[in-house]
Amino acid sequence: MRCTIISRAGQVLAYGRLFIRPLDDGTLRLDLETDRGRVLEGGLIGEDGDMSEAGAILSAQFFDVWGMSDLTLSIQCGETSTPPNAALPPSADIDMSLL
């Protein structure tokens, strides 16, 4: 899924993609890769598909990378893509406040 990391002031910090990575032991992990190639490792997805803990671990990585809290992760659903010069994602996107 395409995503955008936005500061509390509305500045776009990064564009990227969320993805689920299968590990050698059969578990699944939620990760984020920015368009500049930085990979942030999230936590493991629960056996029941719950991503709460995985998302919490991933959001902790945001503070380490960008050094600020109250970031927003905007997820683009479907086939929409974010133009590289866009200030904010389209209103049809889903916003999840993090940290």
Side-chain angles (χ1 to χ4, degrees), residues 23-96:
L23 302 177
D24 292 339
D25 63 359
T27 58
L28 301 173
R29 187 174 66 213
L30 179 65
D31 290 346
L32 182 141
E33 181 179 20
T34 68
D35 286 353
R36 293 187 175 220
R38 174 177 260 166
V39 177
L40 305 176
E41 294 183 351
L44 297 178
I45 298 172
E47 290 183 17
D48 61 354
D50 183 22
M51 290 193 268
S52 300
E53 186 175 333
I57 292 171
L58 184 60
S59 69
Q61 297 288 326
F62 292 177
F63 184 81
D64 293 341
V65 172
W66 289 288
M68 59 182 78
S69 59
D70 291 334
L71 299 179
T72 299
L73 173 65
S74 175
I75 301 169
Q76 288 80 47
C77 297
E79 297 296 320
T80 60
S81 62
T82 305
N85 61 350
L88 291 174
S91 61
D93 298 338
I94 299 171
D95 289 334
M96 299 173 15

Side-chain angles (χ1 to χ4, degrees), residues 4-7 9-15 74 82-90:
T4 308
I5 309 297
I6 305 167
S7 74
Q11 177 186 11
V12 173
L13 301 174
Y15 294 105
S74 175
T82 305
N85 61 350
L88 291 174

